[in-house]
Amino acid sequence: MPKDGQGSSSPCVELHFDGQKFRTTIKEKDLNPVWNERFYFNISDPGSLPNLALEAWVYNINRATHSKTCLGKVRIAGTSFVPFTDAVVMHYPLEKRGMFSRVKGEIGLKVFLTDDPSVKPSDPLPAVDPFPNNPPPSQTHQMPARVLNPNPNPPLGQKSESRHTFHSIPKEDHQHYAAAPVSEPVRYVAEPMKPEPPPTRIVRMYSSASSQQPVDYALKETNPFLGGGQIVGGRVIRAEKPASTYDLVEQMQYLFVRVVKARDLPAMDVSGSLDPYVEVRVGNYRGITKHFEKKQNPEWNEVFAFSRDRMQSSVLEVVVKDKDLVKDDFVGLVRLDLNDVPTRVPPDSPLAPEWYRLEDKKGDKTKGELMLAVWIGTQADEAFPDAWHSDAAVPTDASVVSSHLRSKVYHGPRLWYVRVNIIEAQDIIIADRTRFPDVYVKARIGNQFLRTKIVQARTFNPLWNEDLMFVAAEPFEDHLILSVEDRVGPNKDEVIGRVMIPLGSIERRADDRMIHSRWFSLEKPVAVDVDQMKKEKFSSRIHLRVCLDGGYHVLDESTHYSSDLRPTARQLWKPSIGLLELGILSAEGLHPMKTRDGKGTSDTYCVAKYGQKWVRTRTIISSLSPKYNEQYTWEVYDPATVVTVGVFDNCQLGEKGPNGNKDAKIGKVRIRLSTLETGRVYTHSYPLLVLHPSGVKKMGELHLAIRFSSTSLINMMYTYSRPLLPKMHYIRPLSVMQLDMLRHQAVQIVAARLSRMEPPLRKEVVEYMSDVDSHLWSMRRSKANFFRLMSVFSGLFAAGKWFGNVCAWKNPITTVLVHILFMMLVCFPELILPTVFLYMFLIGVWNYRYRPRYPPHMNTKISHAEAVHPDELDEEFDPFPTTRSPELVRMRYDRLRSVAGRIQTVVGDVATQGERLQALLSWRDPRATAIFVLFCLIAALVLYVTPFQVLAVLAGFYVMRHPRFRHRMPSAPINFFRRLPARTDSML
């Protein structure tokens, strides 16, 4: 804003943070100043960073009067600070200093945290402000050229973009993992006996009889004894022990044995060498360390965990052996009485290991010592996740890496949308100069290929101006490769030139600001192979605008049951609104997935996904009723999200299942957080329902404990008025076709990255958890969506039938009462709206008694999975493309399935909107219904005292308001409506 009376300003920026103040240089007579300066702030207490804020004040400096005038300010909360690698330039609109201030413009800042020891805090401003021409050198630090100007060759007439960078010392990043934090007191006491919990209670999924399913497929409410006490009706009624971080799982006691190292072991071979390993035995269970070749002072540092419930011996034997080709030689052993083993309770420090003299088989001392640490603990022990477990013992004839059996936490890759705007090419060279080229641009990132339309140019400077969208994951491994090609004949293309752009060099943005375009020189390929071709420079070049769009949420799941809705850019993340705690207790009655020793069995593990965090429990070997008792925690940023838990059979143990070495899916559970009451513990046994070619089948039951805790009720209520997706989805929306394609690519990238971790989270697991094939055509799903739609309109049909009966005088008393009501509303039209809202308020209050007390689950009735025809199932499980017919019929059949799949999606979306209307008063989402019921009461009172004519005029003027008074972002009622739950979560 001009402030000097001459149509300009001389601005500078003052920065205030944690009691420190810095100021930039003064830019004389410049309404678009560029500073490119950076400052270092020191954080005195990193723990208080969420309570701090950075303030940037823009002032106009008048040197004649030594005065300053405020041009605007920006306040950035400490919770939005991110590490340097995640920082992007953010443009903040300047805010008013006071109510009557006149402010316009915006400031570009890049704020991030660093713990680089070479960074020193800048010197603060002096107490007296003399307004010097330039501040001392210690206050201003020029940035390197690569930071100052990311666009070294800006087009003529355009100013190079400025970047202003701040550094801070970060606070410690706290994340929730499966293991309990050592700093938190956790007390576990051995219980000789537990009273029998009351029998499980079967609950119905919905009140309407049309959606009830067989009792065997229904949810069962349980009352287990967990770490915090017995759970009854979602509350702890018998807290026998203090609450702990593992209060949502049953206490399981383990005997931990840490084999550290050995020294002075005797030589056993003729050559004087020793190949030692250690065997730990408790009764029938034994664990074996790795062996070293020719080493008499080996170090193992391996931990073994033996379940106390299964131990059938009171003696622990730790045997040192020498690996041999025929028979392993005995070196020595250590015997310990389990009655003398101490109990360790976190947060006690780890038990110090001690040296034990080895004994021979007769009990006499022999040469060599073994360092051991032996204690009794629970799954809260930090050694639990990486320990070898007795309940995950592998048969001796199976060769398997033990890492495949351990519980792990995975973090999915950070996904970005890559936007490539192909503008034009210049001076392209083709072999045949007698014709004009038919050119297009093919773009590639990894396995993703896109291309522009073919331009029949009348010059050698073709113009496209097309946007192409890709998905990329950090760390970036692939490059963006663009090739300009000429269509010289049918199915015959010639490459004119190529250019390769590393993704790490592409500019990132968090909003819709314009990215400067650049010219790239094309390299003419001589050979066909891209990786091993010889290149020569020539004059052709291509005009591009490329950026990494961080303002979008990269969808890798269906929006109906997405577990995360945050944008990629961390600066746009809002503070968390709650905490999700999930206890995976056990499974019962699992279907055998393989045969071992002549008996059907399964080697199962569970996978849970919420946001970018995936967790995997340990594998329980040869058990159809495994007990996991592992607890995990996630931060929640939006209640309208879904947590997914799947059960799988581990096929990496030597025996192959019917699908080879692919892990077989047993079933999964989806739970929408908005349907949960805050603070309540939900303990239910979920049936694992899977659709097979022979029909729906129950594969067992999964016992879960889940709790959703809110940090601020006001923030959670405010979330219901916010847009569901980030701002960029509405300002520059992506088409449905684009989103489907990008979602498929995102799932493939996440599956590829997680399958490269150790142990790998296999591709078939990631695809099953993400429902990668949910968009394919299915006659069963189409029928199910149609019947969902009919169920939504069933109330309207019933009202029409009732009104027909009124008109037919079927019940004279009812008809007379309707006539009286009709006359009253005609005579007093101002009572119509208050009566409607009051009626909905009373219905909502009445339905509160019948509100669901349990999470929704898969419903075979509304999924139309019980009465499905075998031929329809054969069609649903038919691979895509089909293999049931010749080429022509196959092509038509696949096209029909593709079109019908989109129709099915549209019908499902319409049904979803109707079900959200029903959810307004059904208390499916208790917070949303409470908001709406309260709104109805207030609306009824307001409408009662306000003349109807005034409301009608205001409503009409509001609907027909000028576009200037409209916002491109959805309104609060629409955002509230889109967050309401539907029955999509309950569909198979």
Side-chain angles (χ1 to χ4, degrees):
M1 174 74 70
K3 287 289 186 180
D4 60 356
Q6 302 174 7
S8 185
S9 292
S10 299
C12 74
V13 180
E14 283 192 6
L15 309 169
H16 301 243
F17 180 80
D18 198 13
Q20 305 161 67
K21 182 168 73 171
F22 303 125
R23 188 180 63 246
T24 66
T25 55
I26 302 172
K27 298 296 181 181
E28 295 287 346
K29 306 294 184 180
D30 192 352
L31 294 180
N32 299 288
V34 177
W35 282 283
N36 283 326
E37 301 171 16
R38 62 178 175 179
F39 299 89
Y40 304 95
F41 289 98
N42 183 41
I43 303 177
S44 57
D45 181 13
S48 64
L49 182 60
N51 302 321
L52 301 177
L54 170 69
E55 291 185 349
W57 293 79
V58 185
Y59 290 107
N60 170 60
I61 306 301
N62 190 329
R63 298 185 185 277
T65 60
H66 292 280
S67 63
K68 59 182 181 180
T69 308
C70 181
L71 297 175
K73 68 171 184 175
V74 168
R75 179 182 173 88
I76 306 174
T79 54
S80 63
F81 296 170
V82 297
F84 174 73
T85 55
D86 297 328
V88 297
V89 177
M90 295 287 291
H91 290 261
Y92 300 92
L94 294 175
E95 303 173 1
K96 296 181 179 181
R97 182 177 187 176
M99 181 180 300
F100 302 104
S101 303
R102 294 187 63 223
V103 167
K104 72 175 183 178
E106 60 182 24
I107 184 170
L109 304 175
K110 188 175 182 180
V111 188
F112 56 87
L113 302 164
T114 180
D115 55 0
D116 187 352
S118 64
V119 173
K120 303 299 180 183
S122 305
D123 294 333
L125 287 175
V128 181
D129 194 357
F131 298 102
N133 291 334
N134 286 299
S138 61
Q139 299 177 18
T140 304
H141 307 271
Q142 291 300 320
M143 300 178 67
R146 62 182 177 86
V147 181
L148 284 177
N149 191 4
N151 186 9
N153 299 314
L156 292 176
Q158 294 188 17
K159 183 179 291 187
S160 175
E161 269 197 306
S162 64
R163 298 293 178 267
H164 200 148
T165 307
F166 304 97
H167 295 254
S168 298
I169 309 294
K171 71 167 187 171
E172 190 176 354
D173 187 16
H174 299 284
Q175 297 190 11
H176 304 278
Y177 292 96
V182 179
S183 61
E184 196 164 342
V186 185
R187 299 289 173 185
Y188 289 95
V189 183
E191 293 184 355
M193 291 186 65
K194 289 182 180 179
E196 287 294 327
T200 59
R201 183 163 59 92
I202 298 176
V203 292
R204 290 292 185 183
M205 292 306 303
Y206 299 98
S207 58
S208 60
S210 62
S211 61
Q212 290 184 0
Q213 55 183 348
V215 175
D216 195 33
Y217 292 167
L219 216 61
K220 298 178 182 176
E221 186 175 9
T222 60
N223 303 312
F225 288 89
L226 305 181
Q230 187 184 6
I231 307 298
V232 176
R235 307 290 182 225
V236 181
I237 64 168
R238 190 181 302 171
E240 301 175 356
K241 290 165 285 297
S244 68
T245 52
Y246 272 69
D247 59 344
L248 292 186
V249 291
E250 297 179 7
Q251 296 179 9
M252 299 179 66
Q253 290 202 326
Y254 290 88
L255 170 67
F256 289 95
V257 181
R258 182 185 295 275
V259 181
V260 184
K261 56 184 176 180
R263 66 184 179 188
D264 301 332
L265 295 178
M268 302 300 294
D269 296 339
V270 179
S271 59
S273 63
L274 177 70
D275 303 332
Y277 69 92
V278 175
E279 180 179 298
V280 183
R281 296 191 299 220
V282 179
N284 296 329
Y285 293 101
R286 65 171 186 167
I288 301 175
T289 67
K290 61 184 178 182
H291 79 280
F292 293 94
E293 294 185 357
K294 300 180 180 180
K295 196 169 186 179
Q296 292 180 276
N297 297 297
E299 292 187 12
W300 293 281
N301 199 24
E302 296 185 25
V303 182
F304 300 86
F306 299 89
S307 176
R308 292 203 69 183
D309 295 339
R310 299 187 179 183
M311 289 193 304
Q312 300 174 348
S313 175
S314 60
V315 177
L316 168 67
E317 292 184 345
V318 184
V319 185
V320 182
K321 292 187 177 182
D322 174 36
K323 189 76 173 178
D324 209 341
L325 294 176
V326 182
K327 184 179 180 181
D328 297 343
D329 297 327
F330 175 84
V331 178
L333 64 83
V334 174
R335 286 192 181 94
L336 296 175
D337 190 348
L338 297 184
N339 296 322
D340 299 332
V341 174
T343 299
R344 176 181 175 265
V345 181
D348 292 348
S349 299
L351 194 67
E354 57 180 302
W355 289 101
Y356 293 87
R357 283 291 302 271
L358 295 178
E359 302 176 352
D360 57 18
K361 295 182 179 180
K362 297 181 180 179
D364 299 331
K365 300 294 182 182
T366 184
K367 184 180 179 182
E369 290 181 297
L370 184 63
M371 180 179 280
L372 300 174
V374 184
W375 72 95
I376 292 175
T378 65
Q379 66 264 51
D381 202 294
E382 65 270 11
F384 179 80
D386 295 325
W388 175 95
H389 293 273
S390 59
D391 53 4
V394 186
T396 56
D397 59 346
S399 58
V400 64
V401 181
S402 61
S403 61
H404 282 276
L405 306 175
R406 293 173 179 168
S407 57
K408 292 293 179 182
V409 175
Y410 304 84
H411 282 275
R414 188 178 176 194
L415 301 175
W416 291 82
Y417 281 149
V418 183
R419 187 185 295 270
V420 184
N421 179 225
I422 302 173
I423 303 174
E424 60 180 331
Q426 191 176 74
D427 300 331
I428 62 173
I429 301 174
I430 61 175
D432 185 5
R433 294 299 185 93
T434 62
R435 67 176 185 86
F436 289 111
D438 296 338
V439 291
Y440 64 92
V441 179
K442 182 187 292 183
R444 169 190 171 191
I445 297 180
N447 295 325
Q448 305 173 66
F449 292 88
L450 291 176
R451 74 175 196 176
T452 65
K453 63 179 182 291
I454 297 178
V455 174
Q456 296 178 344
R458 292 305 172 193
T459 65
F460 291 96
N461 302 316
L463 176 67
W464 293 279
N465 197 20
E466 287 190 40
D467 269 355
L468 304 179
M469 295 286 289
F470 297 90
V471 179
E474 287 186 324
F476 301 120
E477 298 177 348
D478 300 312
H479 300 301
L480 170 62
I481 301 175
L482 299 168
S483 61
V484 182
E485 302 188 10
D486 178 23
R487 176 64 57 86
V488 297
N491 300 323
K492 185 178 181 182
D493 302 322
E494 288 185 357
V495 179
I496 297 175
R498 290 192 178 97
V499 62
M500 184 178 69
I501 306 173
L503 294 180
S505 65
I506 296 177
E507 187 174 354
R508 307 180 183 192
R509 70 174 183 179
D511 48 24
D512 61 339
R513 63 185 175 87
M514 184 60 69
I515 298 294
H516 291 302
S517 59
R518 294 177 57 189
W519 286 95
F520 293 88
S521 298
L522 294 176
E523 296 173 336
K524 186 174 180 61
V526 178
V528 178
D529 192 354
V530 179
D531 299 324
Q532 300 177 353
M533 65 183 179
K534 299 178 181 179
K535 305 171 184 176
E536 61 180 62
K537 296 285 183 180
F538 67 117
S539 60
S540 299
R541 51 184 196 156
I542 188 170
H543 195 193
L544 303 174
R545 184 180 287 111
V546 188
C547 69
L548 293 170
D549 264 336
Y552 291 92
H553 169 67
V554 181
L555 293 165
D556 58 349
E557 307 161 291
S558 171
T559 52
H560 295 304
Y561 34 81
S562 180
S563 61
D564 191 12
L565 301 170
R566 293 171 296 172
T568 299
R570 296 183 186 272
Q571 288 94 329
L572 301 178
W573 288 9
K574 304 297 182 184
S576 64
I577 61 170
L579 208 62
L580 169 65
E581 298 168 274
L582 174 67
I584 304 176
L585 302 178
S586 61
E588 293 289 340
L590 294 180
H591 187 78
M593 304 299 291
K594 62 183 66 167
T595 303
R596 181 180 293 142
D597 298 331
K599 296 186 298 183
T601 186
S602 294
D603 308 321
T604 58
Y605 64 92
C606 296
V607 175
K609 179 193 185 305
Y610 186 77
Q612 291 183 331
K613 180 178 175 182
W614 299 65
V615 297
R616 168 180 174 160
T617 67
R618 67 191 189 282
T619 301
I620 306 298
I621 302 295
S622 300
S623 176
L624 298 179
S625 299
K627 292 186 177 181
Y628 306 100
N629 285 309
E630 298 184 24
Q631 184 171 338
Y632 300 93
T633 308
W634 290 268
E635 287 187 340
V636 177
Y637 295 87
D638 197 307
T641 48
V642 175
V643 59
T644 305
V645 186
V647 185
F648 300 89
D649 179 60
N650 196 331
C651 295
Q652 314 303 314
L653 309 182
E655 305 110 336
K656 292 185 178 181
N659 296 325
N661 64 343
K662 291 185 176 181
D663 288 356
K665 56 182 183 288
I666 297 179
K668 66 183 171 186
V669 174
R670 289 193 295 253
I671 301 173
R672 181 173 291 270
L673 301 192
S674 63
T675 62
L676 306 178
E677 298 178 13
T678 53
R680 179 179 175 181
V681 180
Y682 290 85
T683 53
H684 291 85
S685 184
Y686 297 82
L688 299 172
L689 305 176
V690 177
L691 197 66
H692 289 279
S694 58
V696 67
K697 182 181 293 185
K698 180 180 177 181
M699 305 294 289
E701 295 182 357
L702 181 63
H703 195 190
L704 300 177
I706 187 169
R707 177 171 56 206
F708 175 36
S709 305
S710 171
T711 55
S712 172
L713 182 61
I714 296 178
N715 288 343
M716 184 176 298
M717 294 299 188
Y718 175 70
T719 305
Y720 279 87
S721 67
R722 302 295 301 162
L724 189 66
L725 292 170
K727 182 179 179 181
M728 284 290 291
H729 284 270
Y730 306 101
I731 295 179
R732 298 193 64 179
L734 303 176
S735 66
V736 177
M737 289 284 291
Q738 270 186 311
L739 286 176
D740 283 345
M741 180 194 68
L742 294 173
R743 185 176 78 91
H744 178 75
Q745 296 295 342
V747 172
Q748 299 303 318
I749 291 175
V750 171
R753 290 293 178 92
L754 294 181
S755 64
R756 288 161 45 187
M757 297 184 180
E758 185 60 35
L761 200 59
R762 299 183 60 85
K763 180 180 180 181
E764 59 269 18
V765 173
V766 177
E767 291 183 346
Y768 179 64
M769 296 286 289
S770 303
D771 286 275
V772 69
D773 58 349
S774 60
H775 64 286
L776 294 180
W777 161 258
S778 166
M779 182 67 75
R780 176 191 61 83
R781 285 200 196 102
S782 299
K783 287 184 176 180
N785 286 335
F786 174 76
F787 288 119
R788 286 172 59 202
L789 197 60
M790 295 298 293
S791 176
V792 167
F793 290 108
S794 61
L796 186 61
F797 298 151
K801 185 178 179 180
W802 171 82
F803 188 70
N805 293 335
V806 169
C807 296
W809 288 79
K810 290 275 184 83
N811 190 331
I813 298 178
T814 303
T815 304
V816 171
L817 292 176
V818 169
H819 278 73
I820 296 174
L821 178 63
F822 175 73
M823 291 298 296
M824 290 177 59
L825 296 179
V826 169
C827 296
F828 305 98
E830 62 273 12
L831 295 179
I832 296 177
L833 289 179
T835 302
V836 171
F837 280 102
L838 186 60
Y839 181 61
M840 287 194 293
F841 168 76
L842 294 175
I843 292 177
V845 172
W846 178 262
N847 287 344
Y848 180 78
R849 297 174 53 197
Y850 310 104
R851 66 190 186 279
R853 303 299 184 97
Y854 43 86
H857 187 52
M858 311 292 184
N859 192 296
T860 58
K861 194 77 173 179
I862 67 170
S863 300
H864 204 66
E866 296 174 329
V868 63
H869 194 273
D871 183 65
E872 296 174 1
L873 283 175
D874 179 73
E875 179 188 31
E876 184 169 349
F877 285 91
D878 184 20
F880 192 86
T882 180
T883 58
R884 299 293 194 269
S885 56
E887 288 293 330
L888 182 61
V889 179
R890 178 186 305 168
M891 182 270 295
R892 294 175 178 173
Y893 184 50
D894 292 343
R895 182 174 59 189
L896 174 64
R897 294 170 72 184
S898 177
V899 173
R902 301 192 183 281
I903 297 175
Q904 154 195 314
T905 303
V906 172
V907 174
D909 290 342
V910 174
T912 298
Q913 307 310 317
E915 288 170 351
R916 285 173 177 165
L917 279 174
Q918 292 180 330
L920 284 172
L921 299 173
S922 68
W923 294 94
R924 168 59 61 191
D925 184 341
R927 287 165 293 274
T929 304
I931 293 174
F932 184 72
V933 167
L934 184 61
F935 167 77
C936 290
L937 178 60
I938 297 175
L941 297 176
V942 172
L943 292 173
Y944 183 80
V945 299
T946 307
F948 177 79
Q949 291 82 355
V950 175
L951 291 173
V953 170
L954 292 178
F957 274 55
Y958 177 79
V959 172
M960 297 181 291
R961 69 190 184 279
H962 192 273
R964 179 178 297 178
F965 302 104
R966 299 178 186 269
H967 297 282
R968 288 189 290 178
M969 300 295 289
S971 61
I974 294 177
N975 298 327
F976 176 85
F977 181 78
R978 287 175 177 171
R979 275 194 163 77
L980 293 171
R983 292 189 177 182
T984 315
D985 310 325
S986 303
M987 288 195 62
L988 286 173

